[in-house]
Structures are given as C-alpha cells and as structure tokens.
Amino acid sequence: MPLSSVAANASEQEIPYYQSVGNECAMFEQAFQQRLPLLLKGPTGCGKTRFVSHMAAKLGKPLFTVSCHDDLTAADLTGRYLLQGGETRWVDGPLTRAVREGGICYLDEVVEARKDVTVVLHPLTDDRRMLPLERTGELLEAPDDFMLVVSYNPGYQHILKSLKPSTRQRFVAMSFDFPPPAVERDIVARESGLAPERCAALVNLAASLRAMKGQDLEEGVSTRLLVYCATLIGTGMPILDAARATLVEPLSDDADVQEGLMEAIHATFG
Amino acid sequence: MPLSSVAANASEQEIPYYQSVGNECAMFEQAFQQRLPLLLKGPTGCGKTRFVSHMAAKLGKPLFTVSCHDDLTAADLTGRYLLQGGETRWVDGPLTRAVREGGICYLDEVVEARKDVTVVLHPLTDDRRMLPLERTGELLEAPDDFMLVVSYNPGYQHILKSLKPSTRQRFVAMSFDFPPPAVERDIVARESGLAPERCAALVNLAASLRAMKGQDLEEGVSTRLLVYCATLIGTGMPILDAARATLVEPLSDDADVQEGLMEAIHATFG
Amino acid sequence: MPLSSVAANASEQEIPYYQSVGNECAMFEQAFQQRLPLLLKGPTGCGKTRFVSHMAAKLGKPLFTVSCHDDLTAADLTGRYLLQGGETRWVDGPLTRAVREGGICYLDEVVEARKDVTVVLHPLTDDRRMLPLERTGELLEAPDDFMLVVSYNPGYQHILKSLKPSTRQRFVAMSFDFPPPAVERDIVARESGLAPERCAALVNLAASLRAMKGQDLEEGVSTRLLVYCATLIGTGMPILDAARATLVEPLSDDADVQEGLMEAIHATFG
Amino acid sequence: MPLSSVAANASEQEIPYYQSVGNECAMFEQAFQQRLPLLLKGPTGCGKTRFVSHMAAKLGKPLFTVSCHDDLTAADLTGRYLLQGGETRWVDGPLTRAVREGGICYLDEVVEARKDVTVVLHPLTDDRRMLPLERTGELLEAPDDFMLVVSYNPGYQHILKSLKPSTRQRFVAMSFDFPPPAVERDIVARESGLAPERCAALVNLAASLRAMKGQDLEEGVSTRLLVYCATLIGTGMPILDAARATLVEPLSDDADVQEGLMEAIHATFG
Amino acid sequence: MPLSSVAANASEQEIPYYQSVGNECAMFEQAFQQRLPLLLKGPTGCGKTRFVSHMAAKLGKPLFTVSCHDDLTAADLTGRYLLQGGETRWVDGPLTRAVREGGICYLDEVVEARKDVTVVLHPLTDDRRMLPLERTGELLEAPDDFMLVVSYNPGYQHILKSLKPSTRQRFVAMSFDFPPPAVERDIVARESGLAPERCAALVNLAASLRAMKGQDLEEGVSTRLLVYCATLIGTGMPILDAARATLVEPLSDDADVQEGLMEAIHATFG
Amino acid sequence: MPLSSVAANASEQEIPYYQSVGNECAMFEQAFQQRLPLLLKGPTGCGKTRFVSHMAAKLGKPLFTVSCHDDLTAADLTGRYLLQGGETRWVDGPLTRAVREGGICYLDEVVEARKDVTVVLHPLTDDRRMLPLERTGELLEAPDDFMLVVSYNPGYQHILKSLKPSTRQRFVAMSFDFPPPAVERDIVARESGLAPERCAALVNLAASLRAMKGQDLEEGVSTRLLVYCATLIGTGMPILDAARATLVEPLSDDADVQEGLMEAIHATFG
C-alpha cells in the first residue's frame, strides 16, 4: 500500500544527514517553537531541501514538500473535490494536511507559484495562523506544531517573479550558500563513497568553477554535481570524462564557456 | 465541528488589541452608522488588518476577510454552485454571507483582484446597497449593519493595477502609516513579551531603516517584523542574529542593501 | 422570496429623484418612443445611473442594469443553461429578460465588456431589433417598449477599450457633466440631510477641486463624494476631517496632490 | 413555438427596400448562379447588411446572418452538442443550416472572428463546396442554392486582423461606399418619414462631415445616423438638438472635433 | 446517409484533373512507395490541394484533408472521447483514420497548427512510423499505404510560425509555383468553360499582376481567381467588371494598388 | 490487440542498430547503474533518439518516449482520471508507468514542455527518487532499474525556453554531434540499402552543407535526410532531383540559400 501523498512520517525514518555550517539549526528550531514562518534563500543545490528534511526529522514532524511552478495554484496546496467512482470526494492538498495533522510544509521555489498562492499563505503567516477552506466551509486553525517554510533562489528573481514585501515581511529569513570546503568534502565523500582526500580535489575545483559565475555562468556548480562526479569516478571512469559529464555539460552549452571550465579541470587534474 | 468559512463571530471572542493613533476609530464608526463603504490605504504590516478586526469586534459584528489576488473573481466573493454528493448546491461566498447575515466584509489588497470584482462592488457602494446574484436569481438588499471595507498599499500600485476613479469615488478613505514611536514600542512589547525599554531600541532602529525606503528598499520594515525580532531576542538569541533574520533578510536580497541595513543595526546595538 | 435578478418593477416603487439640467429627459423619451438605442457619456458619479433609474420609473418600465467589466461575455447578457437539481434549465440573462418582457436594459460602462457583447447588440440596434439566442434556437423580436441604454466615461477610453464606429453609430448619444451649482447644492442637501446653505460651500469647493482635473487628478470630485462629505459633517464630524476622508483621500494617493486639495479646502473652510 | 435561430424564410416576408447604385445586384446574382462566394467591403452603416437582406429576399432564399467577433469560433458556425434534458443533442450552427437547407450565410465583419473559422470556410469556397462536421462524422455537400457572403470594413483592418491572401483569393469581391446624394436622400426620407426636401439638407451636411474623416474622425457619418436625425426632427425636436445627438456625439468624444462638427451643422442649418 | 468525415474513397470517384508541370508526380509516387513523408511549399491557389487530390485518386487511396489553423490541436487530428447519447465513445480524428485504414493524410498550411501537433507527427515521420494514442492506450503502426503530406506557403512564414528544423528535416520536400502560361490557360479554360484563346489573355494579364507582388501585393493573383474571372466573363458580364471583382478587389484594399492593377487590366483589355 | 501506449518491451524486439562514436554507451550504462538521470544535447537528427532506443534494448528495459511540446503538462506525464464507460478510471502516464514498472523514460526536447513538468522531475532527480501522484494519493518510489533521460537541442534555446540551473544541475550530461564520415556512411548505407561507396559521396556533401550552418542555415543537414536522399537515389531517381527534394528544400525556403546548396551539390555530383 502506498504512503500518503508527499508526507513522510519522520518517526519511521532515520534523520537525513545534514552538516550544519552556522546558526541555521538553532534559528529553525526557534522559529518552530515561536510559531514563526521561515524563508530560506540560496543558490541551486546548496542543501536547502536537505536542511529542511533534516530539521523535520530532528523535530520528529512529518514533512510535506511542494516544488512550486508556474501553474501551481492555491487549490494544489489546499485541496479539491475529485470525482472518484461516481462520488465527489474532497481531497486535502499538502498544505491542508500539514495544518490538519501538524507538521512542516515546505514550498520550494515559492516565487514560481501563481499569485493566488499568496492568499492562502497570508492568514497562515500572521497572528491568525488560520487556513480558510472556502470550498468545504472549514476554517482550520494551525496547531502549535505546524510550521511553514518557503524557499527561493535570489539569483533567479526578476521583475515579474518576486515576493511582494507584504508577503516577504511575514517570514523570518536566512541566506544559504555552498558549505565551506572541509564540510563540502565530507558531504561529497559521504554521498558518493569516494575517499575524502579524492573529494577534496573536487571541492577545490568547485571553488574555481564557482568563481566564474556571473561572468559566463548563470549558476555555480552545485554540491550535488560534485557528488555525481565523485560517484562516476568511483566506478572507475576516467576523471576527465566524469568531470566533463557532470561539471561542464550540465553548466553550459556555450563552447567557449565549456573550454574555460575544462581548462580549470585540467589545471586541477592535469 | 469546524467554524463557518472566514467568519468569526465577534460575540464569542475578546476584542483584538489595537492602539489608536488618530480619529480612525471615530471615522470607521461613523462610516458604519451612515452605511458608507470605507477604503484603507497604507504600507505593509502597519496594522490595517488588525484595525479592522478590532473595529468589527468593538461593533459586535462578524468579520469576513478576503485576501485579494490576481485570480480572485466575483464568484469567489459571491458564491458558486458546487457538486456535492450528487447534488448541486449553492454555496455563499464571504461577501454574500456578510450581506445576508450582516457584518463587515473586508477585502484586503483589493487592487489585486480581477476586474469583474468591481461589478459586484458597484451596486453595493451606491445608494442601492444591493447585491444581485445572477446565478440564483436573487437580489439581496444589504442590511443596515452590513459594511464594506477595502484596503490597498499605494506604494505598490502601477498602471495596470489601480482602482478606477469610478470605483474609488464610492468610498470614504483613510491613510494609515506606521504608529508613532511610543505606540509602536507598546505594541511590540505587548505582542512579543519583551520588556518595553528593550523594544524602544528596536523602534528607534526601525525609524532609521524606514528612512532607507525608496532609495534601496521597496518597503520599510513593518511593525510585524519588529515583533518577530523582539520575540527571537526574548528566546535568548543574540540580538544581531535576530536582527539579521528579521530586519535584514526579509527586506532585501541585495548584498549592498543588506550591508547598509546591518550598519544601521550595528550603530544601534553595537 | 427573493426578487428576480436585477429587475425592479417600476410600478411598485416611487420615482427616484433626478434633477434635470437640460433636454436629457425629452431626448430619452423621444428615443424610447422612436425605438432608438441611447448612449450616455460622462464622468464618474455625475448621475447617469440615477438618470436612467429616474426615466425608467417615469416611463413605468422595469429596469435591468448591468455593470460591465473585462470578463463580461455575451452569455452573461443573454443567458445560459444551468445545472440545477439534476435538471438542465435555461436561465435568461438580463438583456433577454428585457427583450422578452419589455423594459429598459442599461449596460453601464459598456466599453469594459468583452468584444463578443457587440455581436448581441448589433441586431438589437438596427432596424431588425432582434435578439437571436443560438443556444435555445429562439429569435426574439424586441417589443416596442424595449429600449437599450449604454454608457461609458470618455475620460477612461484608451486604444484597446473603445466602441468601434460600427457600434457607436447605432446609438443616439448624449454627454453628461456635473450639474450646475444650484442644482448640485439641492441634490447634496436632499441626499445628505445637511442644510442647503452649508452644502453650497461644498459645491463651491467642488468647482475648484474639479479645476485641478487633467493636471494632477484623473477625475474631478463626484457629486456622490459631496454627499458623503455632507453626510459626515451632518454627524458632527469636524469639516476638515470629513473633507479629507471624502474629497482628498478617495481622489489621489500622491502627497503633493493631496496637499493641493487640502489647500483648496482650507481656503474654503478656513 | 419559437422561430428557428437566425433564419428568416424569405417567402414569408416582403423584400427589404434597397436602392441600387451600380452593378452590385447583377454581380451578386451572377455569383449566386455560378456558386461563387462573395466578399463585400465598405464603411460602417453604408448598407451592406441591408443589401444582403434585399438580395436574399429577391432570390427567395433564407438568410443566415452572423455578426463576427473576437471570440467567435468555428463551432459557433457549424454547431455543437448541447446537453438538454439529460440528452446530448447536436444543434446545427447557422452555417450548417444554410448548407443543409440551402440559403445564404452572411458573416458580417468576418475578420473579427477567430482564426479557426477559416478552416471551415476553405473547403466551402473552392471547387469542393463541402462542409466537414468532424463531431458528427458528416461531410455535407453544399447544394446549388447555398451561397457564402462575408464582409468587412477595410478602414478597421490592422496587422493582426486581416484576411490572409489564401482566404481572400477564394472570393469574388465588391467595394461599397455611401450612396450618391439623391439616392441617400430618398433612403433617409423613406426610413424616417421626413419630407425628402428636408432630408436633402441632411445629406448635404453628411458630405461635409464625411470630408472630415481621416483627419479627426475615424469614420464618416453613416446613412443610419442620418435616418436617426431625420426621425428625431420628425418628432418636432429642434434640429440642432437632434443633430448633436445623432451626428456629433456618436462620432467623437473629442471637444475640438465636436466643435468642428457643430460648426458644419450651424453652417447648414443656421 | 452521410459519408464519413473528411474521407473520400478514391475508388468511387473519377480522378480530379491535374496538369503536371515537372517531376512532382514521380516524386510523390516514390515518396509513397518508400514510405517517406512529403512537404509541399508554394503560394496561395497554385494547385497544391488539387495535386494531392489527384495523386490520392491516382494511387487509389482515400484522402483525409485537414486545413490547419491557430487553434488546431493534436486531439483534432487523433480523436477524442465524445459524449453521445449518454455513452462515452472514442471518435477517431482524420489522422488516426488514415493510419488505421491506410490512405493519405494531408495537413494544409501545417505551420498554422498549434505546436502540440508536432508531437503527433514526429513518431509518424521517422523509422518508427507509429501513432501513439495515449487516451485509448493504443500504439498504432502505420500500414505501408499510409502517407503523410503537409504543405505551407513560405511567403507567409514569420518568426512565430515556422516549422522547426527538427520537424522539417523529417520530410521530402517540393516547391510549387503557378503553372507555365500554356498549362494555366488550359486549366482556366477547362474549369470555367471559356474558350482557351480568351483565357490566354487572362493568363498574360496574370503574369503582369504577379510581377507586382512584393512591392504592393502580399500575394500574386491565383489560378483560382483567373477561373473566377473567366467564369463571370462567360456569363456575359463586361470584362472590366469581372476583372475588378475577381482580380483587383480580392487582392488589395489600397486605392493606389487597386489603380495600378486596373491600369494593367486596361492595358490588356483596353 | 494493440500494444500498450508508448511502451515497447525490449525483450520482444531486436536491438536497434546504433553505431557508437565515443564513450556514450559506457556513460549511459554507468548513469543507469548509479541511478543518475541523463541529459543528451545535440542537433536535429544526429541520432539521440536512436541511441536511447539502442541502450534501452541493450539493457533489456522497456522504453517510454515522450516528444515534448508547448502544451505538454505534468499530467500528460503522470496520468489523469478519464471517464470511460460511466466509470472514472485513473490512467497512468508514460512517466508513471516507467516508475511503476521499471524502465527508461525519455523526454525528447524537454525544454519545450510546460513549466509544471519540472515539479514532477525534481523529486525524481535527487536522492529521493520519488514520484508523488497527488491525484491518487500515491508516493511512488522509483525502482533501481528506473532511469530518466531528457534531451534538447542547444541550437534552439532562447531566453524563454531553457532549463533552469536548478533543473539542469540534476543531470549527468553529454553532447552529441553528427557521426564521423566513415560511421555516417555506414549508417546511411545500412538504412537506405544504397551501396556504401555511393553513400560516401553523400556524406562528403553533408560536410560542406553543414559548414553553411549559422550563416544561412538554422540547422545543418541531418543523417536522416542523407538516408532519404540515398533511398530516392536507390529507386533510380536522378541524383540532382533526389538531392533537391531531400537536401535543399527541407533546409530552407530562401532562394539564395537554396542556390548555394545546389551549387555545393553540383560541385559534388556535377
């Protein structure tokens, strides 16, 4: 029998590995205790999603994750009536489930969602902490162990896609960045199974590749791609082949940029 | 059994705290007595929603709050036929409920709603005070204790999103701003539980942060964020950490602006 | 039992007060007698809607009023099949009712409606005077006592929102403006209950405020707002407070414009 | 029992009055005999619709008129399945009826319709003369007495709204303009009941008003408006009042243009 | 009983007349034999549709023609579930019918169709030759006698409407143009019944009119319009009247361009 | 009985021919073994689709191919409730089938799909490897033998259509190009049946035609078109006729470009 949608009961699983690099765990915990909503900002693949999974498990709360997109509407979060077997049945969306059952609802890349999502978030993020469900006629009050977490990547934001101040100013906020070298080395080693000393070289390489961001690259290489690279190297694949497939091709289609990236790789791995 | 949608019967609850700073309470009361619709203008988080909750409770009237958004249509306010259990049933929207039962209907950020909302508001905001429901064939006359309140933030308005004069000129209007220092200090202290003398420093800080609006900041720091900051400080969190998470990160993603904000914070808290 | 949608039988009600200022009553009556459609042009709140109510009552005809908006379609005027109690039932829209039963159909701000509305109006506004209902297979012929009245505010029109000549040239047309001072004074006094001599000062003030239109104001102050102002003054509210809430805040969000308006008010009321 | 939609059986009615001004009647008749589709071009209110009604009656064929608009789709012309009384029933659109029963289908302002209308017209306007109804699985062959007539006003066309050559080149085409003075005088007199000699002055006036087109006026005054004016004059209304309401206000909202028009009227009627 | 939708069984009809002007018949036949899809390019009314009808009949295969337009979607080609008489029934679209039964599916002006049409064409136009029907769960393999033919007019193409290389490069392609004079003369004579020597003058005229294309005319006069002109001349209509209605008015609304065209006509027919 | 939609069980079919030119087979296999998603980049018709078919068959896994387009939504991939025979039945989409049954899901030209597709891909392309089906309430965990492969053509990408870094950085990536001459010669010979030595000339020609890309051609000639050309030559068609129909007309509508292409062809085949 399948698990229920996007919920994973924390008590049945181990705590996902997360290597803290600052006061982010304390801040998350205080926000949870004080029933304040939280906003995470940071680049692609720096560990925001993993951090939320980690904290949810640590607090022993179920996590409801929603990846937001252009067509995500309020109903996708709150629920809708579905026709099933001739019967009309209300099906809670992930936000409603989190409010009803308690737990953490995480809206990843929230600026991508359609604007009517805001209307659902506002009464949940002020002192009312309420979720009105117009369709069912319910007015749900969030329990003390409900927490709303949203994230976005400030590097993507443009004029049409940004949180309005009236929404932003409802959140306690934190900025994330890639972890410091020693931490990232351990993460890559742990996830890929490659020896830490071999991962250290990859992390050094990442620093020089990330320095190219803004000039030619939209986004620096993520920790995830370092893990991919280390994984392929671990299978015995030649380092340059693995690096091209994981640190060059996924970052750019431009021949000049790719050449620049390969030069940095050659400089590291010769 | 759940409460009915977005309505909260005032008689069953205490009056939400609101610290008056001018003649706004008298004006609201006279508009209510004279059956005139009211328009509230002001920046994010300055207390408009709280003010309306306060007045509704003081007048002993139920409050129906709707946060408006890009996809909010007239039917979201008036109601629609829903298929439930094989039966087609009309379900009143919050505006219809307020007209039918009496009470205050508050449309927050009304300029965000779709244009067909206007058509519903017009016959309710002239001497007719009527709500025609084409779908049910009803023509509801608003009772004497029905009041329409709308709000928006003039700082956001742009060419495509503004109230037409033919709509604006149907409302008695008031401008809101952040409360004076002593009042704001008391509000922050009351909401956060932090001692008033510690809150006073935060309110002073807010004044200097708000002075940066228009240059680098889209919107000044709200009273709500001051409450968040005081709340986190109250848990024992270092002041600078709390201030960064509540007064800097929620206001801007720009590194230079953030630095400017942090300088002002350092100047206050050293 | 509810009244039927947007129709108000004139014979059951008194004639709404309307103070004529030119030949508009005669023109309306002749257009009605000659079965010609009528177009009313004029600024916000100058009394177009009231005038139509007045004439409908005077002619003893029911009035079907529709406030047009961006999403108003032909079906909103003509009718649609609704599912009610498992049965599919045709429900006449307000235009169809006016054609079927006789009476005046008034489309307020017609340029706001969607373009398919035009297709419904064309056969009703030439010598055919017919309303084809494709969905029901009916071809209704308008009775002699059917009249179509439309209005718009020329000040709002822009390139995308205007009546095409092929539509405009189907109407007899009249321009409305604010009433002359003595008339407006009597209207304000009658509606607000304030003494006429006190209303006269408000009407004088309106003239100077209206002179600012086009420079800083999109639209001059309406008669309706003068009534609001007089009403609040009548409750004992200080004149400057009442004037700010009814003659300044509803007209503009701009601080400089508001100051200009307040100066004119001070000059009148000292 | 209601008449069938938009069809008027010519044999049951007299032939609508139409004053020919060139070879248009012969051209229409030859196109009908040779089974060629016809395109009429010309300004607002010059008599295109009346001409088609006249020819349909003269040829003894039913006429199916459709006023095209932005949201008119192929299904509006061909038909659709409707749910009626629990039964799904196919209902022919006006074009399908004309093909099935024979007769003239007239699409007024065809460039306004949505682009999928073209797909329906193409197989009807080449040597196939067929109307495929995908939904019912029928392939209707047009009878010899089916004729398609379309019209548009070249003055309105812009880049996004025009017939593609692949559509235009399927039609025999004719340009219409306002009738010569003597003919227009007789038309106005006949329609309004006003004496021809009084109408002659109106027709002279129309010439000078039409000369202003292109400079300040989007479109010259139509014959229809002259009839309106003559009708109001016939009721005893002052000429200048009638002229303002029918020849000035329907043409322009601009004060300067209105003044120019009134000057021309004063010059004629003093 | 009606024929089935858009299919015409070739064996029951004579072969439509088509005058070959190059190797187009051989190319079509080889493409059919080798199971390669075919793309026809060429101006309006030069005979592409007729050519496809001719080849379908010559090969003895049914022809399924679809005129593409802005709103044509994949489902219009493949089929959909329709509610008929309380039953949900799958109805094949023309493309599916051609794949299921064998035959030629011709998509006229394919660049006008919506982009999701491409997804249906791709697996049919590579070595897979398959049509997946997601809705019915079928994966149809095209029989050897299925052929896909598409066409467009290169003169219309603009940036938003063109075939992507990944689609274009799936077709064998041919360009069409108007037939050489002697051939066109015979076509016009055959279709209109006018004597060939009188048609020759029209064909000469067409050459000079076509030379004006690109300067003032979007598209040169089509063979179809020459047939129209000859047809009207054959009824005894004056040549200049017939030419104006078929060779001038359908080509342009511009007075100067029309005059230029009429001059060329006068030069030919005096 | 038809096969199930877009799935082809590899065990029942021979392995499609694919001529490897680098380490692409090893990379694909390692990505599959390590459960990493794969991104293929390259021009039209260079063999990406064939490569995926080949690898799926070699690994003995079913392949689910989806050609993405502007209107492809997440539901097209995951599935939807369909009304069939009065029953509401959930029908898995191709992605869901691949996750449920194991196998390779290949999204061709993924950048063309609508943005909500991203939300489905994200949880499948990080360490979660999960597919949440909100509509059915299921949370599917991908089996070890599930693999996601996506492709796009970097030459097409523009500002509005590109993969966001947060999506790109979830894939191991490889660039494809046309095969080297000897390999391409063998491919063309094998597919068309033409003798390899005659195919060699075509491959040489392709090199000079591809050199024109970027200047006048949007895309160089594909291997597929070379196969078409060889196929037609094999039927005895003159080489220049075959080349024009397969290597010139499908590449460009521009007369100058076509002439340039023909010159290159004449230079080769004289």
Side-chain angles (χ1 to χ4, degrees), chain C:
Chain C
M1 192 190 148
L3 297 177
S4 62
S5 166
V6 288
N9 195 311
S11 60
E12 298 172 15
Q13 62 177 49
E14 54 178 321
I15 295 178
Y17 170 76
Y18 176 76
Q19 178 68 47
S20 174
V21 298
N23 71 340
E24 71 267 31
C25 293
M27 186 66 76
F28 191 108
E29 217 167 314
Q30 284 305 341
F32 178 80
Q33 300 299 347
Q34 300 299 324
R35 299 179 303 282
L36 301 177
L38 192 63
L39 164 63
L40 309 180
K41 305 189 285 188
T44 296
C46 70
K48 298 188 297 290
T49 299
R50 180 70 71 97
F51 168 62
V52 177
S53 302
H54 172 79
M55 290 305 301
K58 210 162 123 187
L59 292 167
K61 299 294 163 198
L63 173 63
F64 301 80
T65 299
V66 181
S67 302
C68 298
H69 56 84
D70 279 30
D71 298 315
L72 189 100
T73 64
D76 293 318
L77 295 180
T78 55
R80 43 170 64 91
Y81 283 103
L82 292 182
L83 274 166
Q84 289 176 345
E87 277 294 292
T88 307
R89 203 165 63 83
W90 173 263
V91 178
D92 279 346
L95 181 64
T96 301
R97 288 198 57 197
V99 171
R100 232 189 260 281
E101 307 169 14
I104 294 164
C105 185
Y106 175 46
L107 308 183
D108 193 15
E109 303 209 35
V110 70
V111 293
E112 300 291 330
R114 279 185 37 195
K115 296 300 173 56
D116 65 344
V117 162
T118 305
V119 80
V120 172
L121 300 185
H122 277 200
L124 267 174
T125 51
D126 56 25
D127 56 296
R128 291 175 285 171
R129 284 177 61 86
M130 296 186 326
L131 177 63
L133 298 177
E134 294 174 15
R135 295 302 176 93
T136 66
E138 291 175 281
L139 181 69
L140 303 179
E141 200 168 329
D144 280 359
D145 66 345
F146 167 79
M147 183 184 193
L148 179 68
V149 182
V150 305
S151 75
Y152 69 85
N153 181 345
Y156 289 173
Q157 289 208 82
H158 52 79
I159 199 84
L160 287 171
K161 290 262 183 157
S162 60
L163 286 183
K164 290 188 300 182
S166 63
T167 302
R168 283 177 70 119
Q169 296 209 6
R170 291 163 178 276
F171 291 87
V172 172
M174 287 191 288
S175 282
F176 276 68
D177 208 340
F178 299 114
V183 175
E184 192 165 35
R185 181 201 58 204
D186 290 351
I187 292 169
V188 174
R190 193 183 183 286
E191 300 283 319
S192 69
L194 196 68
E197 50 282 8
R198 301 190 68 184
C199 295
L202 282 174
V203 169
N204 286 342
L205 174 61
S208 45
L209 298 183
R210 284 166 188 164
M212 295 171 69
K213 185 190 160 183
Q215 309 158 236
D216 305 303
L217 283 178
E218 197 180 347
E219 188 84 0
V221 64
S222 66
T223 306
R224 175 183 293 126
L225 285 179
L226 295 182
V227 173
Y228 282 12
C229 189
T231 301
L232 289 179
I233 291 171
T235 70
M237 185 176 285
I239 291 181
L240 293 180
D241 283 6
R244 174 177 283 281
T246 57
L247 307 183
V248 176
E249 294 283 358
L251 265 65
S252 176
D253 297 329
D254 185 277
D256 291 342
V257 174
Q258 290 194 353
E259 197 176 330
L261 292 166
M262 280 310 291
E263 273 173 26
I265 291 167
H266 278 287
T268 302
F269 293 109

Side-chain angles (χ1 to χ4, degrees), chain A residues 67 156 222 228 245 249-250 253, chain F residues 41 119 157 166 168 170 173 175:
Chain A
S67 302
Y156 289 174
S222 66
Y228 282 11
E249 294 283 358
D253 299 327
Chain F
K41 305 188 285 186
V119 81
Q157 287 209 83
S166 64
R168 282 177 72 119
R170 291 163 178 276
S175 282

Side-chain angles (χ1 to χ4, degrees), chain D residues 41 119 157 166 168 170 173 175, chain E residues 67 156 222 228 245 249-250 253:
Chain D
K41 306 189 284 188
V119 80
Q157 289 208 81
S166 64
R168 282 177 71 119
R170 292 163 177 276
S175 281
Chain E
S67 303
Y156 289 174
S222 66
Y228 282 10
E249 294 283 358
D253 298 328

